[in-house]
Amino acid sequence: MRSATLARSLTATVVVFAAAFAAGCAPQPDPKAAPSSSAGGASCAPGKLATETAGKLTVGTDKPAYAPWFKDDKPSNGQGYESAVAYAVAEKLGYRKADVVWQTVPFNNAFAPGEKKFDFDLNQISISEQRKKAVDFSSGYYDVRQTVVALKSSKAAKAKSAADLKDLKLGAQVGTTSLDVINDLIKPSQQPAVYQKNDFAKAALKNGQVDAIVVDLPTAFYITGAEVPEAAVVGQFQDTLGKAEKFGLVLDKGSALTGCVTGAVDALSKDGTLARLEKQWLADAVAAPVLK
């Protein structure tokens, strides 16, 4: 009996020792490990994101890339508000300017359903609940207002309210909140003209094919100051359909990068970078009369 008891005691000792040894050799949490983002547990460690191309950050925007958001139709030069914002976000994420790759993405394609080939896109795309069904957005990087532009000699130039625009021929780019404002806020008596690109809308305005066009405020001041000097900013709307409007960075639906990119935008807002870049690149967009 004593030998059997001794054997059981030795066996128990071996099991306890083995368990202790295994526990000692098991991987232990690293207190210095980089924190995970809230988006799928992806790491936000600088330069270590699960991007489209390892070690690179792919950023999408449309072509032409309009001023004052970009300069000289070259997103990669870091000039213009959105180009500067893209590089500031990249830096926060740990990517050098040389690591940023630009990709041409038509405006409507950026927020259409389907897998994206960019890490994020920025192209004056307003955050909306409808668009959120197909894509993710970062927090807003610019507070925007929609604005009416008309030739100085036109009846539209004297408008003081949405009602004054109701019987006029209006135009805007397809898929934009500018077009939503025409349809849902102004509610014109005739069908608005819809254009694939703002360039076509500006040409129609200049040629008298429409009485006025609707664009965002900084674009309106650039159009009237540099492209169609015979036009004027008629006024701006306080909100877009009763809500404050913001531009956001667009990401693939359920992207593992959404939390990291949002964190970068929030940090740039908190440290004053966004305000500084806005002052640098959008300073000409001064206050315009508010349309009631």
Side-chain angles (χ1 to χ4, degrees), residues 18-208:
F21 181 81
C25 293
Q28 300 298 306
D30 180 1
K32 297 182 180 180
S36 294
S37 79
S38 59
S43 172
C44 292
K48 301 297 183 181
L49 280 69
T51 55
E52 277 290 316
T53 302
K56 301 291 183 180
L57 191 67
T58 303
V59 181
T61 198
D62 204 351
K63 187 174 180 63
Y66 299 110
W69 310 103
F70 300 92
K71 188 174 181 181
D72 300 328
D73 193 19
K74 294 179 180 178
S76 61
N77 63 16
Q79 301 182 60
Y81 181 71
E82 289 192 326
S83 179
V85 167
Y87 283 114
V89 170
E91 184 178 359
K92 284 290 184 185
L93 295 174
Y95 293 88
R96 301 169 303 162
K97 186 174 182 179
D99 296 327
V100 176
V101 178
W102 288 88
Q103 181 185 88
T104 298
V105 180
F107 179 82
N108 284 337
N109 290 9
F111 52 86
E115 186 178 355
K116 309 305 178 192
K117 296 300 181 183
F118 52 75
D119 294 311
F120 66 76
D121 181 284
L122 74 173
N123 187 26
Q124 306 109 69
I125 299 175
S126 298
I127 301 169
S128 74
E129 293 306 313
Q130 181 64 32
R131 290 171 179 172
K132 282 182 179 180
K133 295 176 182 178
V135 294
D136 283 356
F137 280 96
S138 71
S139 49
Y141 62 88
Y142 180 71
D143 296 342
V144 64
R145 289 185 177 184
Q146 295 300 319
T147 310
V148 177
V149 175
L151 296 181
K152 296 173 184 176
S153 58
S154 74
K155 180 181 177 181
K158 300 176 182 179
K160 303 296 182 185
S161 67
D164 293 337
L165 300 164
K166 195 174 183 67
D167 295 326
L168 303 178
K169 184 67 175 179
L170 307 174
Q173 183 177 342
V174 66
T176 60
T177 48
S178 302
L179 184 58
D180 291 340
V181 163
I182 293 176
N183 288 325
D184 302 331
L185 195 157
I186 299 173
K187 299 180 180 178
S189 56
Q190 56 183 310
Q191 195 74 16
V194 181
Y195 302 97
Q196 193 64 35
K197 292 182 178 292
N198 263 337
D199 274 350
F200 303 147
K202 287 180 283 187
L205 176 68
K206 193 170 185 176
N207 295 333

Side-chain angles (χ1 to χ4, degrees), residues 205-231:
L205 176 68
K206 193 170 185 176
N207 295 333
Q209 295 170 301
V210 292
D211 295 306
I213 61 174
V214 177
V215 295
D216 61 75
L217 185 60
T219 298
F221 275 97
Y222 186 79
I223 289 173
T224 56
E227 298 180 310
V228 190
E230 60 269 39

Side-chain angles (χ1 to χ4, degrees), residues 9-23:
S9 177
L10 288 172
T11 300
T13 301
V14 169
V15 170
V16 171
F17 179 81
F21 181 81

